[in-house]
Amino acid sequence: MQPSPTAFPPDQVESPQPKMIATSPPVQDHRIDTPDGVLFCRVWSPAVSGARAPIVLLHDSLGSVELWRGFPEALCAATGRQVVAYDRLGFGRSDAHPATLALDFIAREAENGFDTVLRHLGIEGFILFGHSVGGGMAVNCAAHHAGTCVGLVTESAQSFLEERTVKGLEEAREFFKDPAQIARLERYHGDKARWVLDAWIESWLHPEFETWSLREVLPQLRCPALAIHGIEDEYGTTRHPELIAELSGGPTRLALMPDTRHVPHREKEAEVIAMVAEFVRELP
C-alpha cells in the first residue's frame, strides 16, 4: 500500500533529499533490460566491501527508488552491507508498464523484475526488505528463492485483505481526486502517475482480489524473518504481522511499534534501522 494524507505528507515530496553527501557510500545506477521494458536500479555500497549478502529493497504501491529517501544510504552505513533498490516496471524511472497490472502481480514479481535484477547484478545470497505491498512481494520472493534468501524483513506488509485495508484504500481514492495530489505523484513517476495510482487502488479493490492472502506461500519460507508493523497503521491491524509469524516456515520475530502508522522507516527511521541492523548481524 501507501500513502494516505498522513503517510505521504507534503514535506516528503516537495523537498527531496540530496542523493549523496560527502560521507555517503558509493552509489551506482543501472538500467536493466527486460522483455517488457527497462528497469531502473540503484546500488549503495559500504566503504569496506565484503562477501556478505546484500539487502534488496522492494517498494510500496506508490513508491520508487527516490521515495526511499535517505533510508537505503543509512541502512548501508549501519549494516555494512550493499543495499539495492529498483523501480518496478511502471514506476519511478523504469519504463511504463505495457498493460493493466495483473491481479497476481504480488506473486509474479518473484519471477519477473526481482529475478531480472538478481541476474543482472550477479546476486546469489540476499536479504529482502519489503515495505507494504513490497512486503508481500518479499515473502513471495523469499519463498521462490528459498535456497538463496538468507533473511526477510517485512514492514507494514499486508498478508490478507481486511476491513481496515479497504477503508484506507477508499479514503485514498477520495484523497487522490485532487489534481494537486496527482501532480505530486508525477514528480516521481512522470506521465505514469495515473497508471501507478490505478494499479494500487483498482487492483486492491477489485472484487476478484477479495480472497488474496499470503497464507499459502508463508509456510514455504525457510529463512529467519522480522515482521515490523506500526500499531496505528491505517492500512492494516497487527493481525497481518501476527499471521506472518504464525504461518512462516522459518523463525519469525514480531516488532510492533507504538505510535507508528504505515511508514515506520520514515516516521522512526533510526529505530527501524537499529532493528534491521541487529537482525542481519548474524546472517551471512
Side-chain angles (χ1 to χ4, degrees):
M1 296 286 143
Q2 169 86 345
S4 70
T6 54
F8 198 47
D11 66 301
Q12 296 291 351
V13 178
E14 302 302 330
S15 303
Q17 296 178 3
K19 295 177 185 176
M20 296 182 65
I21 57 176
T23 57
S24 295
V27 177
Q28 185 175 18
D29 289 345
H30 297 259
R31 303 288 294 178
I32 304 173
D33 290 324
T34 79
D36 294 317
V38 176
L39 298 179
F40 174 74
C41 176
R42 178 167 290 164
V43 180
W44 292 258
S45 297
V48 179
S49 60
R52 307 188 77 192
I55 301 172
V56 183
L57 307 180
L58 296 173
H59 66 72
D60 56 83
S61 293
L62 299 186
S64 68
V65 170
E66 295 294 342
L67 280 169
W68 283 109
R69 324 297 286 167
F71 180 72
E73 177 183 309
L75 188 62
C76 175
T79 62
R81 294 175 185 263
Q82 198 173 66
V83 175
V84 177
Y86 70 97
D87 293 331
R88 295 192 295 275
L89 198 66
F91 297 81
R93 298 188 189 183
S94 290
D95 284 354
H97 196 287
T100 301
L101 199 62
L103 292 181
D104 62 348
F105 69 101
I106 295 175
R108 278 194 186 191
E109 188 61 24
E111 300 180 53
N112 291 341
F114 177 74
D115 205 40
T116 302
V117 170
L118 292 187
R119 291 197 306 271
H120 177 86
L121 298 178
I123 294 174
E124 295 182 358
F126 57 86
I127 298 165
L128 285 162
F129 182 110
H131 172 231
S132 193
V133 72
M137 291 177 177
V139 168
N140 279 274
C141 291
H144 186 74
H145 297 272
T148 51
C149 181
V150 301
L152 166 68
V153 181
T154 65
E155 181 196 43
S156 308
Q158 298 82 28
S159 53
F160 63 99
L161 200 62
E162 69 173 349
E163 183 178 348
R164 184 184 291 192
T165 315
V166 172
K167 182 175 183 292
L169 286 159
E170 290 173 341
E171 290 176 354
R173 176 185 271 169
E174 292 301 310
F175 176 69
F176 279 102
K177 285 181 178 179
D178 180 356
Q181 305 309 324
I182 297 296
R184 292 166 66 192
L185 286 183
E186 289 173 349
R187 294 194 58 178
Y188 295 93
H189 304 291
D191 58 8
K192 303 186 296 291
R194 174 54 65 178
W195 181 93
V196 167
L197 186 61
D198 289 345
W200 172 37
I201 295 177
E202 302 310 320
S203 295
W204 282 82
L205 292 181
H206 193 287
E208 294 180 16
F209 204 78
E210 289 181 0
T211 59
W212 171 85
S213 80
L214 295 176
R215 289 182 175 89
E216 291 187 7
V217 70
L218 283 166
Q220 301 173 39
L221 297 179
R222 296 293 176 264
C223 63
L226 169 65
I228 300 171
H229 201 89
I231 292 176
E232 305 301 325
D233 190 327
E234 60 271 39
Y235 292 109
T237 65
T238 58
R239 183 59 188 144
H240 293 276
E242 290 165 356
L243 188 68
I244 292 173
E246 289 171 14
L247 298 184
S248 176
T252 302
R253 173 190 155 200
L254 280 179
L256 303 180
M257 302 182 67
D259 303 315
T260 308
R261 291 170 66 86
H262 190 61
V263 195
H265 72 267
R266 185 177 300 159
E267 300 166 52
K268 297 181 179 179
E269 180 181 283
E271 290 183 36
V272 171
I273 287 176
M275 281 192 288
V276 176
E278 178 186 0
F279 172 69
V280 305
R281 187 170 294 122
E282 301 305 321
L283 298 181

